[in-house]
Amino acid sequence: MVEICHKYGLLVDAYIAHPSDRHLFGIPAETPAQVGEIAKQMQDIGVDMIGLMTGMSYEGVAAGEIHPEVRRRLEALLKSVNVPTLAEGGINDKNFRAFIGTGVNILVVGTAFDDVARNAVREMVKTFLGR
């Protein structure tokens, strides 16, 4: 897959997830050591960017913080590869600053933007319906 993508000038990103994530998106790695091993293997086959799913399974973290387990997993990823890295999952306006200084190159923000848009549409519909 990587060779075919590169043949056509495309970049390839791959993700690592915790096996107990509610939405398993990526190759499962339970421990930080496994994260590092899998990330190295991804880099060795030519993946251009490696992402870590960071927030779908880590409850109980104060707003603006990164769960300690996520931090350990990020550190393992970053120590293992020299390709650009991504963090995705659960990143929002409360915690994105916590990723500054971690070494992660790219934050992928999806649901936080979706939630803002959903709420704006809901409010506009209420206005049109006179509620």
Side-chain angles (χ1 to χ4, degrees):
M1 176 66 91
V2 172
E3 288 178 21
I4 292 169
C5 289
H6 287 169
K7 177 181 174 182
Y8 292 101
L10 301 172
L11 297 176
V12 177
D13 68 341
Y15 282 89
I16 300 170
H18 194 282
S20 65
D21 279 352
R22 289 190 299 242
H23 307 286
L24 187 59
F25 178 67
I27 296 173
E30 190 164 353
T31 66
Q34 290 172 343
V35 168
E37 291 169 19
I38 290 170
K40 179 75 171 100
Q41 291 172 5
M42 290 174 167
Q43 179 176 274
D44 289 347
I45 64 168
V47 170
D48 300 291
M49 296 172 277
I50 301 172
L52 183 72
M53 298 307 294
T54 59
M56 293 182 180
S57 297
Y58 304 97
E59 305 294 337
V61 178
E65 296 181 7
I66 300 174
H67 192 284
E69 179 63 17
V70 172
R71 191 171 293 279
R72 287 188 289 275
R73 294 168 66 78
L74 280 173
E75 289 169 357
L77 169 65
L78 295 166
K79 288 178 184 173
S80 301
V81 299
N82 56 24
V83 297
T85 55
L86 303 93
E88 178 174 350
I91 298 170
N92 57 44
D93 62 333
K94 308 281 188 290
N95 66 10
F96 78 97
R97 285 185 183 87
F99 288 86
I100 295 170
T102 62
V104 172
N105 302 107
I106 301 166
L107 292 182
V108 180
V109 181
T111 303
F113 290 128
D114 292 344
D115 289 346
V116 169
R118 186 179 307 104
N119 290 334
V121 169
R122 183 180 299 119
E123 292 306 310
M124 185 58 65
V125 167
K126 287 180 185 177
T127 299
F128 280 117
L129 295 176
R131 295 181 190 172

